[in-house]
Amino acid sequence: MVVTGTPFNAKIDKANEFDVLRVAAALIANNGFQANYALVNPMDSAKMDLTKSSEGVYIMPPFTSSDRLTVSGVRVVENDNMTPGTFIIGDFTRFYVYIRRG
């Protein structure tokens, strides 16, 4: 994974899914919002769970919860409608769905 188009360009060595979500949360916070959910494909979520060091030890970044379902305060939610390798992150308290009939 590569973090591009942000102030973090080429500053994160060997970026993984955790790193990308952390950068996205920082960018949202920098714009005055607080991300609370990230929708990720179940396969990407599994890759996050199975991240290991070169010695084969499971890696848990310091900015994740012990169950790895929270990255920097953002709840990670599996959603099979997400294309692998993509995610949606945001402040879903500001998300409204209007249902129009007819």
Side-chain angles (χ1 to χ4, degrees):
M1 290 202 133
V2 179
V3 178
T4 60
T6 74
F8 296 93
N9 286 358
K11 292 186 169 98
I12 301 173
D13 188 37
K14 300 177 185 173
N16 61 28
E17 286 81 2
F18 290 108
D19 300 325
V20 173
L21 287 175
R22 179 63 185 101
V23 168
L27 293 171
I28 290 170
N30 195 49
N31 286 297
F33 298 98
Q34 183 63 42
N36 53 8
Y37 288 100
L39 305 177
V40 301
N41 181 277
M43 297 303 288
D44 293 329
S45 180
K47 282 186 356 187
M48 291 168 66
D49 288 343
L50 301 173
T51 302
K52 295 180 185 178
S53 70
S54 58
E55 292 84 31
V57 177
Y58 287 103
I59 297 174
M60 188 168 65
F63 49 86
T64 62
S65 63
S66 61
D67 61 4
R68 298 183 190 185
L69 294 177
T70 305
V71 175
S72 192
V74 177
R75 182 83 174 157
V76 176
V77 178
E78 290 185 7
N79 185 314
D80 60 358
N81 291 312
M82 296 301 303
T83 304
T86 66
F87 64 91
I88 296 175
I89 185 171
D91 180 353
F92 286 90
T93 63
R94 300 176 185 272
F95 179 75
Y96 298 98
V97 176
Y98 295 99
I99 299 174
R100 181 176 167 201
R101 296 181 188 254

